[in-house]
Each structure stands twice: as C-alpha cells, then as structure tokens.
Amino acid sequence: MTTPLPLLSPLEIRVLGVLVEKQLTTPDYYPLSLNALVAGCNQKTSRDPVMNVTDEEAQSALDGLKERKLVTHSWGASRRVVRYSHTLPQVLDTDAGTTALIATLMLRGAQTAGELRIACERLYRFADLSSVDAYLTEMAARPGGALVVKLAKQPGSREHRWMHLLNGAVDAAAAEPPTSRPDSADSGTLPALQAEVASLREEVAELRRMIGELKANSER
C-alpha cells in the first residue's frame, strides 16, 4: 500500500537522492558518513542544480529527513563516525526501478525517458525505452499520490520531459531545460559520453577520498 507523498526542501531532495545513488553505485562505502554525503551533494557532474552544501546544512537536512522517517543513522565499525542510510523504498513503497528513476530525477532535474534510461544505467538497467515509459506512467498514476509529472513538450523537442513531485507541484517554466542539454535522440553522442566519463571520474575521486577516510579512522 502506498503512503502520502512527503514534501521536501531542495536540499532534503539532494541529500536523499545522494543516499540512494551511493547505495546503488558504491555499496561498499554505504551507509555514508557526513563528509561523504556532502561530497556527493556538491558533485559538479550529474547534478542539476549544482550546489555548494556545508556540513551544517547537510546535517539540518538529515535531521528533517529523519523526522519524516526517510533517513536513519548508525555507527560505523570504528564507533567514531555516524553513518546515514535512506528508507525511501520502505516509506514510498517503491521497487528498484521506481527508486532509480525518482532518485535520478531528484539529482538531475527534469529528464526525458531516453535521458533517464541512460542516467539510470548504474542504478538500475531498464530493458528498453518502453520499459522506462511504463514505469513513469505508473509513477504518475500512483494511488497514494503521483511521484512524477509529465511536462509539456518544449518547442522543437521530440520527447516529453518528466519531473518528480517530492517538493510539490512543478512550475513548468522553471523546469525548462538549459539550451545546452542534448535531446534524448542525441544522448548517445560524444557530449553525452563525455558527461558520463566526467561522472565516472568524479566517482573514482570520491572512492579514493572514502578509502583515505577509512584508513584514517582505522589508524586512530
């Protein structure tokens, strides 16, 4: 049974999206420490909008999410570092595909089904574009409240874009894509590949930072 949709602030959405993403892409380093979470929030790639979140702001967002039962905390093996995990599938009654789609929209903003299929590749692998469309249609008709909404086509666009509703009704004008955003028909071209490489490089850099943090904690 679905539950009513929580209304979250933009920062709470970023924090929750990062927790979902890192659980699926770097499970060995999940749950996340505050430092790792802030680094994920402030990534320059695969994020729209780009943010500059402080430790204090992230902690405040975590506290708000804990009140909504969307985040829990635990202590790491060293018992020195608090680590955070999400409960989004349990609270919203979402399966793996739905969780991947909502997290991607939370982190990247409005996307077409084609863009979502590529962006979700490391979180959940959809069989084809029609599978993504089916998920999105179901998410928009969710009995407990729609998770996403289909936006009107932009002039010259081949596809509708979709946006999550976790921070309330979407302003279609505010959700207009940047002029540099490629249409989904071009999402397999060089710009999309370059963006994916940049994202992977940032993931590698984050993994190295996490390893250094683990080593430092073990030596204390």
Side-chain angles (χ1 to χ4, degrees), residues 112-123:
T112 67
E115 290 169 339
L116 281 167
R117 186 186 178 198
I118 291 176
C120 286
E121 185 72 14
R122 298 177 63 226
L123 282 65

Side-chain angles (χ1 to χ4, degrees), residues 13-76:
I13 287 169
R14 174 59 53 87
V15 167
L16 186 59
V18 168
L19 287 171
V20 176
E21 178 192 59
K22 300 310 180 186
Q23 179 195 23
L24 298 174
T25 59
T26 57
D28 290 345
Y29 300 96
Y30 180 86
L32 298 184
S33 66
L34 181 62
N35 286 342
L37 179 62
V38 169
C41 289
N42 293 337
Q43 281 183 210
K44 299 299 187 292
T45 58
S46 306
R47 300 288 185 266
D48 184 11
V50 172
M51 292 184 172
N52 186 21
V53 180
T54 66
D55 289 1
E56 292 76 16
E57 289 169 338
Q59 187 63 65
S60 177
L62 285 166
D63 292 340
L65 290 167
K66 284 193 289 185
E67 290 179 3
R68 294 172 172 82
K69 311 300 183 185
L70 283 162
V71 163
T72 61
H73 72 276
S74 58
W75 292 91

Side-chain angles (χ1 to χ4, degrees), residues 7-209:
L7 294 182
L8 307 177
S9 71
L11 182 52
E12 288 172 337
I13 287 169
R14 174 59 53 87
V15 167
L16 186 59
V18 168
L19 287 171
V20 176
E21 178 192 59
K22 300 310 180 186
Q23 179 195 23
L24 298 174
T25 59
T26 57
D28 290 345
Y29 300 96
Y30 180 86
L32 298 184
S33 66
L34 181 62
N35 286 342
L37 179 62
V38 169
C41 289
N42 293 337
Q43 281 183 210
K44 299 299 187 292
T45 58
S46 306
R47 300 288 185 266
D48 184 11
V50 172
M51 292 184 172
N52 186 21
V53 180
T54 66
D55 289 1
E56 292 76 16
E57 289 169 338
Q59 187 63 65
S60 177
L62 285 166
D63 292 340
L65 290 167
K66 284 193 289 185
E67 290 179 3
R68 294 172 172 82
K69 311 300 183 185
L70 283 162
V71 163
T72 61
H73 72 276
S74 58
W75 292 91
S78 67
R79 304 295 298 173
R80 296 188 181 94
V81 179
V82 180
R83 296 187 175 274
Y84 299 92
S85 55
H86 71 90
T87 59
L88 188 146
Q90 294 87 344
V91 172
L92 296 185
D93 191 25
T94 57
D95 60 16
T98 302
T99 300
L101 286 169
I102 195 71
T104 301
L105 290 170
M106 291 162 71
L107 293 174
R108 296 177 181 243
Q111 303 271 298
T112 67
E115 290 169 339
L116 281 167
R117 186 186 178 198
I118 291 176
C120 286
E121 185 72 14
R122 298 177 63 226
L123 282 65
Y124 181 86
R125 183 164 294 182
F126 293 94
D128 49 35
L129 189 58
S130 63
S131 177
V132 178
D133 282 325
Y135 266 94
L136 290 168
T137 299
E138 184 176 335
M139 292 165 70
R142 178 176 175 270
L147 286 172
V148 298
V149 63
K150 181 189 284 187
L151 303 179
K153 283 185 180 179
Q154 297 299 313
S157 175
R158 297 182 181 88
E159 289 189 67
H160 289 277
R161 291 172 303 119
W162 295 80
M163 188 58 184
H164 71 81
L165 294 172
L166 290 179
N167 59 343
V170 173
D171 181 347
E176 287 188 16
T179 55
S180 60
R181 174 176 288 177
D183 195 7
S184 62
D186 301 321
S187 57
T189 59
L190 183 59
L193 293 174
Q194 289 174 329
E196 183 65 17
V197 169
S199 177
L200 290 172
R201 285 175 175 168
E202 195 150 329
E203 292 282 357
V204 170
E206 184 179 347
L207 285 173
R208 288 174 175 166
R209 186 193 58 75

